[in-house]
Amino acid sequence: MDPERASPSEVVLLENPDGTLATGVPPGFKDVTPPLSPRARDVGQMLLGTTQYSSQELVDLYEKHIKLFAMLLSSQLVLEAIFQALYFLRREVEMQRVHAIYGAATMPVIRHVFLTAFGIECAYMVVYYSIAVLAWSSRRPRHFKLFANCCLAGVVGHILLAYLNKFNLLIFFLRLFAFGHSKFLRHVGQLLLLNRGPPMGALAGA
């Protein structure tokens, strides 16, 4: 009898004196590993980058998410522009609120900090959307990595702006979602390169 082909009936359970159970198997017996479910297998392969997609399937997936990426960033740009404009128009009210919270700070100091933070935020928006356009137009994984790092810096910076009463939950989650989406696009772009799909320049012109 081949021990590696032992049937389940030849595997016995032994009861120890303390009441615990032990499994008794023939020498050299190898238990069969149960197969993964199709969903678990597909998710695991996707995360590990081992799924055997065709080049066309990857291109289609990539292009759909590129369009979603453009729609997300366009909506975010409009919302951030409106938020910045309203905050600047209401700057005196907002500075009074900050002064009420931090009474030790004088109004000139608060005004200076407010205008500095507003300028930094505007400069960040220019860099943020410039890198977003670069990543969208080039479709290169390294550009999406750069944009993801920029998103992460914006998320941290937006938390710090809460001290100036300038925290917007919607913008915070939009930047967080853009961070996750850019990392996903970078991963799919790398799969395209590994699968020797169309070059990134061809994708940019599609």
Side-chain angles (χ1 to χ4, degrees):
M1 182 188 66
D2 189 351
E4 295 189 5
R5 296 184 180 179
S7 65
S9 60
E10 296 169 339
V11 178
V12 296
L13 291 177
L14 303 176
E15 185 177 358
N16 297 316
D18 60 357
T20 59
L21 297 177
T23 303
V25 297
F29 175 77
K30 294 181 180 179
D31 196 7
V32 179
T33 303
L36 293 174
S37 66
R39 178 176 297 179
R41 183 176 60 251
D42 292 343
V43 172
Q45 290 177 340
M46 181 66 182
L47 292 176
L48 295 174
T50 58
T51 305
Q52 298 300 317
Y53 292 109
S54 68
S55 295
Q56 189 57 46
E57 287 175 335
L58 281 175
V59 170
D60 291 342
L61 177 67
Y62 197 71
E63 288 301 321
K64 288 179 181 178
H65 281 275
I66 282 290
K67 292 177 182 178
L68 179 60
F69 179 77
M71 292 173 59
L72 169 68
L73 269 296
S74 299
S75 303
Q76 186 179 348
L77 175 60
V78 174
L79 291 173
E80 286 206 57
I82 293 174
F83 175 68
Q84 293 289 352
L86 290 176
Y87 192 78
F88 185 77
L89 292 175
R90 291 172 47 85
R91 61 188 180 278
E92 294 297 332
V93 176
E94 298 298 335
M95 285 188 289
Q96 290 293 340
R97 290 180 179 176
V98 173
H99 181 64
I101 297 173
Y102 307 101
T106 61
M107 283 300 296
V109 172
I110 293 176
R111 183 174 286 103
H112 177 73
V113 173
F114 174 88
L115 294 177
T116 301
F118 183 80
I120 293 174
E121 183 73 8
C122 291
Y124 170 79
M125 286 179 60
V126 172
V127 174
Y128 179 87
Y129 289 103
S130 297
I131 297 176
V133 172
L134 175 64
W136 174 81
S137 60
S138 68
R139 269 73 161 172
R140 295 185 182 276
R142 62 188 179 91
H143 290 158
F144 282 109
K145 180 181 179 181
L146 179 62
F147 179 71
N149 293 335
C150 186
C151 289
L152 191 59
V155 168
V156 175
H158 201 66
I159 294 175
L160 296 177
L161 288 176
Y163 289 99
L164 294 177
N165 198 30
K166 197 176 183 294
F167 183 83
N168 186 286
L169 193 62
L170 178 59
I171 292 177
F172 174 80
F173 280 112
L174 283 174
R175 289 181 181 177
L176 200 61
F177 184 76
F179 168 75
H181 200 193
S182 60
K183 288 181 71 68
F184 172 78
L185 287 171
R186 178 198 175 206
H187 178 67
V188 177
Q190 289 174 332
L191 287 179
L192 273 173
L193 294 177
L194 291 175
N195 284 14
R196 297 182 180 181
M200 294 293 106
L203 287 176

